[in-house]
Amino acid sequence: MPSPGPTELIIVFGPFIWLGSGVIGFYLMQRRGGSGLLGLVLGILAGPIGVLIILLIGDSAAIIAARQQKLAGRSDADMKACPFCAEDIRAEAILCKHCGSELSGNPKS
């Protein structure tokens, strides 16, 4: 009996690789707080490349969500207006991140 060629192997194992990619995509998106269905569809449609895309997108989404949560925790009492450019900066700032001006010990609030 001859051994199967590359075409036969792709026909037999290809669907399993794509379905496996869909399951992995579902798991990764669920774990990162995204839509599991989107991960499943992307994994099935794009295969292993879709899983790599999910890995890259998932990290970005997690970073953005963490940054938004951090900003939501700040109150207006923690902020003040820069006396030079009037942009909001942290109350404890000694250098304005917007205009680069050095703030004196007692700037206007």
Side-chain angles (χ1 to χ4, degrees):
M1 184 170 166
S3 64
T7 305
E8 289 87 11
L9 290 174
I10 291 173
I11 291 171
V12 172
F13 292 110
F16 293 109
I17 292 171
W18 257 250
L19 286 174
S21 296
V23 171
I24 292 169
F26 177 84
Y27 171 74
L28 290 173
M29 286 295 278
Q30 281 282 347
R31 193 167 149 219
R32 293 193 159 116
S35 168
L37 183 60
L38 175 66
L40 179 71
V41 170
L42 187 59
I44 289 174
L45 291 179
I49 295 172
V51 172
L52 292 174
I53 292 170
I54 291 169
L55 287 171
L56 294 174
I57 291 174
D59 288 341
S60 299
I63 290 169
I64 290 169
R67 190 174 293 153
Q68 286 175 345
Q69 188 177 27
K70 183 179 176 183
L71 290 175
R74 278 193 199 150
S75 67
D76 289 338
D78 295 340
M79 305 296 281
K80 67 178 179 181
C82 172
F84 301 99
C85 68
E87 290 288 337
D88 285 338
I89 55 174
R90 290 184 179 180
E92 64 271 5
I94 57 173
L95 184 70
C96 178
K97 68 178 184 177
H98 301 283
C99 67
S101 300
E102 289 188 30
L103 304 173
S104 63
N106 193 6
K108 298 177 187 175
S109 295

